[in-house]
Amino acid sequence: MNTEIAATLIQTALDRGQKALSEHEAKQVLSAFDIPVTREALAHSEDEAVAMAEDIGWPVALKACAPQLLHKSEQDGVLLHLADPADVRRGYNRMVGQTSTPLDGILVQEMVPGNRELVLGLIRDAQFGPCVMLGLGGVMTEILQDTVFRVAPLDRTEAEDMTRELRSAALLGPFRGQKPVDLDALCDALTALGRLGTEVDAVAEVDVNPLIITPEGRIVAADALVALRSSHSSNTH
């Protein structure tokens, strides 16, 4: 874990006047807290995008990347399952040409296999302070509202309790020939989010959705949002 990397990223964003991190920045913060994220890179030309896709491995996703783009899929800022260089070149040019938002670049990201999705979150409650959330993710998040919360910081026992309290907890076990979730990694991610909330005051909210469970049971954050509190420094305690 490298909280100094996270603090530096966040302070730089605050100095720029950002209200949120870009997806790429948000994932760098999660990675600094040892939360598994997608393999990805930020491209600034179509040639770079193709080279990065070749390095990551086909197929890939392309995403418009900027701190102002909080809901990229609703703004046609996401292209999935691109399988060859021609697809990436077309996708890159389309994405750059259609947005009026200044972009940090185009994110080239691995496509993570798996049809089980969770959501992890961090909120700051007026009464309880930072709280960690675990729920059923993807498109089902708002529909089923299967979520559980714990006040941060939380320990391993509390994290395990959260996984058991989900109504959809069966998804975490063996499922249709797929392996059970790596419970150690999931609990580590939950406790890490709690530490992020207690150690970095400038983070207002975190939304990791989806957190994909691969057929082998690994967890990978495929998208992430980190909102900032501009009146706070990013200094860690």
Side-chain angles (χ1 to χ4, degrees):
M1 184 174 300
N2 194 327
T3 56
E4 288 304 312
I5 289 177
T8 300
L9 276 165
I10 291 167
Q11 190 60 54
T12 301
L14 289 172
D15 291 344
R16 292 183 188 136
Q18 292 176 214
K19 296 180 180 179
L21 300 182
S22 71
E23 177 182 343
H24 189 46
E25 291 167 337
K27 286 180 180 167
Q28 287 176 287
V29 168
L30 294 181
S31 183
F33 276 76
D34 296 331
I35 297 172
V37 302
T38 47
R39 289 181 294 123
E40 61 188 41
L42 202 57
H44 300 95
S45 71
E46 60 178 282
D47 287 341
E48 270 191 2
V50 170
M52 290 169 178
E54 295 278 9
D55 185 56
I56 290 169
W58 306 98
V60 297
L62 293 186
K63 297 181 178 180
C65 190
Q68 302 93 327
L69 292 175
L70 304 184
H71 302 287
K72 295 177 290 297
S73 59
E74 297 172 10
Q75 302 174 44
D76 294 324
V78 178
L79 294 172
L80 304 176
H81 304 291
L82 304 183
D84 59 44
D87 280 350
V88 168
R89 291 183 185 279
R90 279 193 299 269
Y92 181 94
N93 288 314
R94 170 184 153 186
M95 215 165 267
V96 169
Q98 74 183 6
T99 179
S100 58
T101 302
L103 298 177
D104 292 350
I106 300 297
L107 198 59
V108 184
Q109 177 185 302
E110 68 172 316
M111 290 295 306
V112 180
N115 51 19
R116 294 175 290 174
E117 297 182 346
L118 300 172
V119 56
L120 302 186
L122 175 74
I123 62 168
R124 292 192 183 274
D125 182 81
Q127 181 176 357
F128 297 107
C131 298
V132 176
M133 182 263 286
L134 169 67
L136 187 64
V139 296
M140 295 290 103
T141 302
E142 295 179 4
I143 297 171
L144 297 181
Q145 297 184 335
D146 183 6
T147 55
V148 292
F149 291 84
R150 284 294 185 280
V151 176
L154 62 155
D155 60 23
R156 171 60 186 248
T157 299
E158 291 172 299
E160 289 180 352
D161 287 344
M162 291 177 76
T163 68
R164 285 191 287 264
E165 289 174 17
L166 284 176
R167 295 196 306 274
S168 51
L171 284 173
L172 304 181
F175 185 77
R176 296 183 179 178
Q178 301 178 43
K179 293 185 178 180
V181 69
D182 182 339
L183 195 61
D184 287 336
L186 180 55
C187 290
D188 286 347
L190 291 168
T191 57
L193 268 186
R195 287 194 295 275
L196 179 59
T198 55
E199 294 176 9
V200 188
D201 288 338
V203 171
E205 178 184 347
V206 178
D207 184 28
V208 181
N209 189 15
L211 182 82
I212 296 176
I213 305 172
T214 72
E216 297 78 32
R218 292 187 303 114
I219 57 168
V220 184
D223 200 353
L225 166 66
V226 174
L228 302 176
R229 302 198 291 175
S230 58
S231 60
H232 288 72
S233 167
S234 69
N235 289 341
T236 55
H237 297 322

